[in-house]
Amino acid sequence: MSNTVWINALAELQQQGEPCVLVTIIEERGSTPRNAGSKMVVSRERLYDTIGGGHLEYKAQKIAREMLENHVRETRLERFSLGASLGQCCGGATVLLFEPMGQPQAHIAVFGAGHVGRALVPLLASLPCKVRWIDSRESEFPAQIPAGVEKVVNDEVVDEVENMPAGSYFIVMTHNHQLDLELTAAILSRGDFTYYGLIGSKSKRAKFEHRLRDRGFQAETVQRMRCPMGVAEVKGKLPVEIAVSIAGEVIATYNANFGEKSADGEKPVPMLVPAARRSQTG
């Protein structure tokens, strides 16, 4: 099999924003089915290329899929003895390197495909994150959706709030104040978000705070809402200026929150900046 199979698969999966694990034989001792340097790519659904087949490949595939299921971002080394336990008769040993690739490091839901949404989504799409762009109006979306962005057209926009994983970023900028309020209530009710930003003025915030209190929301819950959102120092009314301001606040939030644990203490809050760059900013 051509050694371009795994390369092409990796490029295609990354273009689609689909996470996968690259498995590489990094050491071989004795008789092994494939040479060091052999690679395969494991996605949730498929296997690309091979490290020799048989029980070794099956076990490697199982480990890779567990890593994908648990959103593991760290590389992993595993040593396998190719004896009877692996159903291999060659008697050698193999060390495999498992490298998670393309794992989205934050999930962002953008509600609203108006002028600011159309300026903001391409900026977010250029970050290593998974963006779901949601609106009830198909006609508002541009003809070309940025790579890695999932377009969601749903008449029941509020239903999409529960489809986001814990630790997500929510950005609300719809065409309708009542819809903004219903989305706000649904997001604040979840409580497991990393960031919630609502477009609007200080007077809009005051009205929303009053209405949310009437619905029984605690003051400290409402305080987690960013409205007006965006970096205050970035002035301007153009959609692109507002979009840059919001993107800046998202980046500032994940930089500040990096390494924090979520409420259950089990998994770290998803962040955007790769480890190599984080160490430079630390």
Side-chain angles (χ1 to χ4, degrees), residues 248-259:
E249 183 165 85
V250 168
I251 293 166
T253 302
Y254 64 64
N255 282 339
N257 286 348
F258 176 73

Side-chain angles (χ1 to χ4, degrees), residues 27-65:
E27 189 181 345
E28 46 171 345
R29 289 187 183 161
S31 176
T32 59
R34 290 292 299 271
N35 296 333
S38 298
K39 297 175 187 286
M40 73 174 180
V41 174
V42 183
S43 74
R44 285 196 174 94
E45 304 294 329
R46 292 189 57 189
L47 206 58
Y48 304 84
D49 227 319
T50 181
I51 54 167
H55 204 56
L56 172 68
E57 187 161 291
Y58 171 77
K59 287 204 78 164
Q61 181 181 188
K62 192 163 180 284
I63 289 169
R65 294 230 161 97

